[in-house]
Amino acid sequence: MAASLRASSSSLRARLLSSSADWSPWRLLPSSSVHSDAANQTETLAFDEIQLSLEKPSTATAFVLHGLLGSGRNWRTFSRTLASQLRDRNPSDEWRMVLVDLRNHGNSARIKGLCPPHDMSSAAKDLADLVKARGWTWPDVVVGHSMGGKVALDFAESCSRGDYGESAVLPKQLWVLDSVPGEVSTDNSDGEVERVLQTLASLPSSLPSRKWVVDHMISLGFSKSLSDWIGSNLKKDNEHVTWGFDLQAAIDMFTSYRERSYWSLLENPPKGLEISIVQAEQSDRWYPDDVQRLKALSRRGSKPDAGKVSFHLLPNSGHWVHVDNPKGLLDIMAPNFLCSVQN
C-alpha cells in the first residue's frame, strides 16, 4: 500500500485534525519553534504551552504528543482540564503542559531541518533536541496518543540507553493512549487509516473549500465526525484551501508506527519509570493476546531495580479517546498521574 501511495502523493500536502475547541488565551503561552543564541539560530519542533497560572512557577512538565495526522491543538482542551484537575487534587501542583507538533504535522510541517528518516526514533529524537535547544529541564511525564504513544516509548527507551547524552533525564511516567506497543497488523483493523491516506493521496493539492472536502469524504463512506475532523485543518490559500503537511512523510511515519515494537521496554522498564497503558474499549486495534500480555505485566508490579507497567481500560470509547470519552480518560489519568511535589 505504501508504494502505491508514494506514487500518487508526491505533491500533496495535508494538515489535519486541529481542534477548533474554545480555549482561554491567558492560559496558553505563545507557541514557538525557534531557539536563538548569539552565534546561530536552530529550528526545533513547534509547540504550545499551557499553564493555569502565569504568576506561579511550574512544578513539573508534561509533554503531550498527538497521533498521526494530528497536531498539538487537538489536545488543548483536554490538557487544560487535566492540569486543572491535578491542581484541584493537589494545590501544590502547577503543571506545565507542552503540546508538541511532531515532525511533518501542525506548525512543525513548515520546518525544513527535520530530515528523513521520518520514523519513530527520529520523532523521539526531535523531542530531545527541543529540550536541549530551549534549555528546558527534561519532561517528568510524556503523554502520547496512538502514534504519539510509540514516540513516547521510543523517547523513554532512548533516554534509558543514553542515546541523548549524559544530560538526558528519563521521564518518571509515560501515558500511552490506545497505542498497541508491538507491531500493528492491518488484519486486525477496518483499515480506516489506510483508506483516509489513500483518499487524501487521490485529491489535488488545491481544493475548492472545506465544505467540499467534508462532503466528499462523507460521500465515500467516512463518518461525518471523521470528515469534519479531517477538514478542520484545511487552510485558506487565495480562493481555495490546501493541506499543511507532506503526505508522503506522514505515510513513512505510519509505516514506522506499524513496524516498530516496544515489548522489550515493557518487559524490562528501567528503574524509576512507570508506563501506563490505556486501551479504549471499542478500539479495533488490539489483539486479545496483547491485552492479556499487558495485564500480566501490570500484575507483576514493580521491582526495586526496575520500573513498572500499569494497564487501564477506558469504557465507552473508540480510538479517539480524548473526543469519545474525555471525562472517562480524565477519571483514569488524574488519580494516577505523577504527583509533582514528589519530584
Side-chain angles (χ1 to χ4, degrees):
M1 186 207 79
S4 63
L5 284 173
R6 289 189 182 95
S8 60
S9 63
S10 59
S11 65
L12 181 65
R13 301 182 64 82
R15 185 183 182 191
L16 307 167
L17 316 182
S18 280
S19 168
S20 59
D22 294 335
W23 51 276
S24 301
W26 66 271
R27 291 175 174 173
L28 183 68
L29 280 65
S31 62
S32 180
S33 64
V34 178
H35 170 70
S36 179
D37 59 31
N40 56 56
Q41 189 177 77
T42 303
E43 278 201 294
T44 56
L45 294 175
F47 61 90
D48 284 331
E49 297 178 81
I50 290 176
Q51 192 173 323
L52 297 184
S53 173
L54 299 182
E55 290 74 33
K56 297 171 59 178
S58 63
T59 57
T61 297
F63 278 12
V64 181
L65 313 180
H66 59 81
L68 181 74
L69 306 182
S71 71
R73 291 181 60 194
N74 299 140
W75 287 85
R76 279 181 179 174
T77 299
F78 182 87
S79 298
R80 187 176 67 244
T81 306
L82 176 60
S84 179
Q85 288 198 12
L86 292 174
R87 190 169 65 177
D88 289 345
R89 297 181 68 88
N90 189 338
S92 299
D93 278 356
E94 187 64 47
W95 279 90
R96 169 175 163 259
M97 303 288 182
V98 179
L99 280 54
V100 177
D101 285 351
L102 297 174
R103 58 170 50 215
N104 309 305
H105 291 74
N107 288 326
S108 293
R110 64 177 178 78
I111 297 173
K112 304 301 182 183
L114 303 175
C115 300
H118 299 301
D119 56 19
M120 299 300 94
S121 293
S122 295
K125 184 178 181 297
D126 292 339
L127 302 178
D129 291 341
L130 174 63
V131 171
K132 294 175 182 178
R134 304 295 300 186
W136 289 341
T137 57
W138 291 76
D140 302 278
V141 176
V142 182
V143 179
H145 173 237
S146 192
M147 182 186 74
K150 280 198 168 179
V151 174
L153 290 167
D154 202 295
F155 178 78
E157 187 174 63
S158 297
C159 280
S160 68
R161 287 197 304 253
D163 293 352
Y164 303 146
E166 294 182 358
S167 66
V169 178
L170 184 73
K172 299 176 180 66
Q173 189 177 47
L174 302 183
W175 282 92
V176 181
L177 309 179
D178 208 50
S179 184
V180 178
E183 295 180 11
V184 178
S185 171
T186 54
D187 295 337
N188 196 43
S189 74
D190 61 6
E192 184 176 62
V193 175
E194 291 87 346
R195 290 191 296 115
V196 168
L197 293 173
Q198 288 175 326
T199 300
L200 298 184
S202 72
L203 296 175
S205 57
S206 182
L207 299 158
S209 68
R210 178 183 179 276
K211 183 180 184 303
W212 183 92
V213 172
V214 172
D215 290 345
H216 179 68
M217 298 293 291
I218 292 173
S219 73
L220 295 176
F222 295 103
S223 68
K224 186 177 187 305
S225 59
L226 176 60
S227 301
D228 284 336
W229 185 53
I230 288 172
S232 66
N233 255 358
L234 287 161
K235 62 182 182 180
K236 193 73 175 175
D237 183 20
N238 296 320
E239 299 302 315
H240 299 83
V241 292
T242 62
W243 308 108
F245 66 75
D246 185 344
L247 179 59
Q248 180 54 58
I251 293 168
D252 291 345
M253 294 182 76
F254 178 60
T255 300
S256 175
Y257 158 77
R258 287 173 50 190
E259 294 176 348
R260 288 298 302 271
S261 174
Y262 298 92
W263 279 116
S264 61
L265 177 67
L266 291 166
E267 296 281 358
N268 301 283
K271 182 178 180 181
L273 173 65
E274 178 180 1
I275 304 174
S276 299
I277 308 287
V278 176
Q279 177 202 4
E281 182 181 38
Q282 299 167 5
S283 174
D284 64 356
R285 287 157 168 77
W286 295 85
Y287 281 115
D289 288 349
D290 292 334
V291 174
Q292 293 306 313
R293 191 173 178 181
L294 286 169
K295 288 180 177 178
L297 291 174
S298 180
R299 288 192 297 267
R300 190 177 65 178
S302 59
K303 300 178 181 178
D305 59 344
K308 61 180 287 189
V309 172
S310 59
F311 180 75
H312 309 270
L313 180 65
L314 175 63
N316 304 316
S317 177
H319 181 60
W320 314 111
V321 292
H322 58 305
V323 175
D324 291 345
N325 189 3
K327 181 182 183 301
L329 185 58
L330 288 164
D331 289 345
I332 290 173
M333 292 182 66
N336 298 289
F337 213 78
L338 178 75
C339 183
S340 69
V341 296
Q342 295 175 351
N343 296 347

